[in-house]
Amino acid sequence: MTIGYVARRIGVFILIIVVAVSINFIMPRIRSTNPIEQRLYSMAGQGGVYVNQIQDMIKIYNEKFGLDKPLWVQYVNYWNDLFHLDLGKSLAFYPETTTEMIMRAAPWTIGLLTVSTIIAFVLGTVFGALMAWPRTSRIALGLSPLFMTLSAIPYYLLGMLFIYVVAMNWRLLPVGAAYSAGVTLKFNWATALDIGRHALLPGASIVLAGIGSWGLGMRAMMTTVLGEDYLRMADANGLRPRTIFVQYALRNALLPQITSLAISLAVVMSGAVLVEIIFGYPGVGNLLFTAIANNDYFVIQGISLFIILSIGIVLLALDLIYPLIDPRIRYRRG
């Protein structure tokens, strides 16, 4: 991997970010309706403001958010605000800033989805590899119908099933939320256990739904490498079956899975919207749903930008570390 390759990949990454941020800026502004005007009229319909005050408030809000300026001025100001981590203020929860809302919701989503995705990836990958390995036990082979069933069930349906059975009928775990009402969040074991209990059901629904997909994908990858010459050579040299399975078959079949895992982790910031809504989990997915419902377009913009940046950064990191994962890859010109 040469310096030129790294420079090119970083250049492509910067170009992608510029294009994505530009699209993120333009899309809400080419709409036919004014989001601030629409929000204020909605508030007037709910008794939040007087109708005769709306035009004055629209003018004040447009000046505050810069929507009365030419588009190119808004674009320059948008980039300037981004460099200062200023994504604007929420229209629905003014004067709270978009950055504050996202930063408050992000740890819950990152904690829940990162742990759940990694657990589902590890379990699904191992079981999927065992399902394809010809020397595996009958127990692993019998897991194939289970994985196919789980891969076809949406995680939000599993979530609703868990709420009904585990939380409401058996009363073993909380129905929803991220922690018990009245609990003050502190860095201690009691708080950690309380948060863990509340995360078990949404996490389990994501893990069980994900295991099937990871397992079937890994089984397909393992099937493609079983007939390779290096496996026959390793077997002819008298290597132990466990060594052949782990060092030769599993390692080579794992590469596409790692790419999928990186992309899955990159979109963590989008949140598991339906699961977070069902369980009342205060993550980014729930925040995005609330922003869409309230036409809070600065928050929608901010979340979209965070998703774009996370995907771009993870894919760049994947491009840079892939030669270390797979020695067969060489980013050099002949």
Side-chain angles (χ1 to χ4, degrees):
M1 184 167 59
T2 63
I3 297 177
Y5 169 78
V6 174
R8 286 195 300 272
R9 297 308 304 169
I10 294 177
V12 171
F13 165 73
I14 294 174
L15 177 62
I16 291 173
I17 294 301
V18 170
V19 173
V21 169
S22 301
I23 294 174
N24 191 46
F25 167 83
I26 292 172
M27 289 300 292
R29 287 169 169 78
I30 62 176
R31 54 189 292 176
S32 59
T33 58
N34 186 317
I36 297 176
E37 181 178 347
Q38 199 170 19
R39 177 61 185 166
L40 289 175
Y41 275 113
S42 175
M43 292 172 61
Q46 299 170 3
V49 294
Y50 295 106
V51 177
N52 57 3
Q53 297 175 331
I54 288 182
Q55 294 302 323
D56 293 335
M57 295 181 67
I58 289 175
K59 182 178 179 180
I60 294 172
Y61 270 71
N62 283 338
E63 291 177 356
K64 177 176 284 294
F65 291 112
L67 299 182
D68 60 331
K69 296 180 175 63
L71 192 62
W72 70 269
V73 176
Q74 295 182 41
Y75 183 70
V76 173
N77 293 337
Y78 183 68
W79 273 105
N80 182 58
D81 291 339
L82 288 182
F83 285 118
H84 293 87
L85 298 179
D86 183 5
L87 301 176
K89 297 184 183 296
S90 169
L91 298 177
F93 302 98
Y94 184 86
E96 193 167 11
T97 67
T98 298
T99 304
E100 291 174 349
M101 298 176 68
I102 295 177
M103 290 297 101
R104 186 167 58 247
W108 298 105
T109 292
I110 293 174
L112 175 66
L113 289 185
T114 301
V115 174
S116 301
T117 301
I118 292 176
I119 291 176
F121 169 78
V122 172
L123 295 179
T125 298
V126 172
F127 287 137
L130 290 175
M131 284 191 296
W133 189 243
R135 301 177 184 178
T136 191
S137 64
R138 294 183 179 180
I139 297 178
L141 295 176
L143 293 175
S144 180
L146 176 62
F147 281 132
M148 295 180 66
T149 302
L150 289 175
S151 65
I153 301 177
Y155 53 81
Y156 56 87
L157 290 182
L158 288 175
M160 290 189 288
L161 179 64
F162 288 154
I163 289 176
Y164 178 75
V165 176
V166 180
M168 299 181 65
N169 284 353
W170 296 348
R171 300 182 181 275
L172 297 177
L173 292 170
V175 175
Y179 50 89
S180 301
V183 171
T184 302
L185 297 180
K186 298 179 180 178
F187 288 99
N188 54 38
W189 284 110
T191 303
L193 290 175
D194 185 66
I195 293 175
R197 288 182 67 251
H198 284 78
L200 275 177
L201 290 186
S205 63
I206 297 173
V207 168
L208 290 179
I211 283 179
S213 300
W214 290 115
L216 293 178
M218 188 61 188
R219 186 182 67 171
M221 292 298 102
M222 281 289 290
T223 302
T224 61
V225 303
L226 287 180
E228 295 292 338
D229 293 336
Y230 54 81
L231 290 183
R232 296 194 183 97
M233 179 63 70
D235 188 38
N237 288 334
L239 297 180
R240 294 184 301 173
R242 181 177 178 180
T243 302
I244 298 175
F245 173 74
V246 175
Q247 296 293 331
Y248 293 87
L250 182 62
R251 182 179 179 183
N252 287 282
L254 194 61
L255 296 175
Q257 293 284 94
I258 293 177
T259 304
S260 300
L261 175 63
I263 296 174
S264 298
L265 293 177
V267 298
V268 157
M269 275 300 297
S270 64
V273 178
L274 294 177
V275 165
E276 292 183 8
I277 293 172
I278 290 171
F279 287 95
Y281 208 76
V284 176
N286 206 341
L287 177 62
L288 178 61
F289 173 79
T290 303
I292 293 174
N294 292 315
N295 199 28
D296 198 346
Y297 105 132
F298 287 107
V299 176
I300 298 172
Q301 247 191 335
I303 294 175
S304 301
L305 180 62
F306 267 81
I307 295 172
I308 292 169
L309 289 176
S310 62
I311 293 176
I313 291 172
V314 170
L315 292 182
L316 174 63
L318 185 65
D319 281 339
L320 297 180
I321 68 173
Y322 227 99
L324 304 177
I325 299 173
D326 187 0
R328 296 172 298 179
I329 299 177
R330 291 292 181 268
Y331 294 105
R332 293 180 181 272
R333 292 185 178 181

